[in-house]
Amino acid sequence: MSRLHAFSSIIFVIALLIYGYIQWQKSNEQSAAPVKDTNTPDFTAKSLSSNQYDSNGKLSHTIYADEMTHFNDKKETFFVNPKFSVFPEDDKPSWNISALSGQLFNNQLSLTNRVRVVSSDKDSFIAEIHGQSIAMDLLNNIITSEQTILLKGKDFTMYGSGLNVDINSTKMTISEHVQTIYKKHAN
């Protein structure tokens, strides 16, 4: 019986090893199941155009972009050649903002490369703002930039950095003034 017992023990061990190997292979196959790539966008759009309204049904801003890529997991949206029109409270004139690229994250818009902000009000003290990057809080309509910016008005051109503009109240501050050039008018 000892030979029979040894032989059956060897068969049992071999069967156990084969079973273990098969289970190990199955666990490797399951862990290799496809995982969603967070770098793959949920959707993209070409020639995007969108209108956003406030809780009272008043137009708050419009968005146009040549291309938009949205990542739902990250709550981020990227734009190529975005153009935004922002409509302040109290029916004040709109501001048109454009850039070569942009990113939207939690109602914070970040625009980079050839950023241009233009007032639709022809009598506005500040007619245009130019810079390499600005940030805008879309909920409060506040534009900020720590970069060097150029401001153009009817009679002046100003250079500075540390820009903070409240579109609703049209209050503006510059933390570091560099230079202002005034235009001379002929009488």
Side-chain angles (χ1 to χ4, degrees):
M1 285 267 240
S2 68
R3 260 192 216 193
L4 185 60
H5 185 52
F7 182 68
S8 56
S9 295
I10 290 173
I11 296 288
F12 179 73
V13 169
I14 290 172
L16 191 58
L17 288 172
I18 291 172
Y19 177 77
Y21 179 75
I22 291 171
Q23 292 301 318
W24 179 71
Q25 287 292 338
K26 283 184 180 180
S27 71
N28 282 345
E29 288 175 10
Q30 289 173 353
S31 65
V35 177
K36 184 180 178 194
D37 184 8
T38 58
N39 293 325
T40 303
D42 290 295
F43 62 89
T44 59
K46 303 245 186 224
S47 299
L48 168 79
S49 181
S50 174
N51 296 330
Q52 301 290 319
Y53 297 89
D54 65 14
S55 58
N56 298 323
K58 183 181 175 293
L59 185 63
S60 65
H61 60 276
T62 62
I63 303 168
Y64 172 81
D66 288 347
E67 186 176 321
M68 187 235 14
T69 307
H70 179 72
F71 297 88
N72 198 41
D73 291 344
K74 299 177 185 178
K75 306 288 186 230
E76 284 182 302
T77 305
F78 294 93
F79 300 96
V80 174
N81 293 323
K83 293 170 182 62
F84 289 81
S85 292
V86 180
F87 301 92
E89 297 170 351
D90 302 328
D91 297 321
K92 293 179 182 172
S94 65
W95 289 80
N96 301 307
I97 306 166
S98 62
L100 293 181
S101 60
Q103 176 184 6
L104 179 63
F105 181 73
N106 289 337
N107 290 312
Q108 298 294 316
L109 176 65
S110 175
L111 297 169
T112 56
N113 299 321
R114 297 186 185 168
V115 180
R116 184 173 180 221
V117 182
V118 179
S119 174
S120 65
D121 183 5
K122 301 299 178 200
D123 297 325
S124 178
F125 180 69
I126 302 292
E128 295 181 31
I129 302 170
H130 297 265
Q132 280 302 306
S133 71
I134 67 162
M136 181 168 181
D137 178 348
L138 291 174
L139 292 177
N140 299 310
N141 286 345
I142 295 176
I143 295 174
T144 58
S145 178
E146 297 303 318
Q147 304 288 323
T148 301
I149 47 100
L150 163 75
L151 294 107
K152 289 184 175 183
K154 184 176 179 181
D155 299 325
F156 70 93
T157 301
M158 181 186 299
Y159 298 90
S161 61
L163 175 70
N164 189 324
V165 179
D166 183 341
I167 298 246
N168 293 324
S169 67
T170 63
K171 291 182 182 177
M172 177 190 73
T173 58
I174 296 178
S175 61
E176 185 176 331
H177 175 261
V178 176
Q179 180 183 22
T180 301
I181 302 168
Y182 293 97
K183 295 178 186 175
K184 191 174 186 180
H185 292 284
N187 290 343

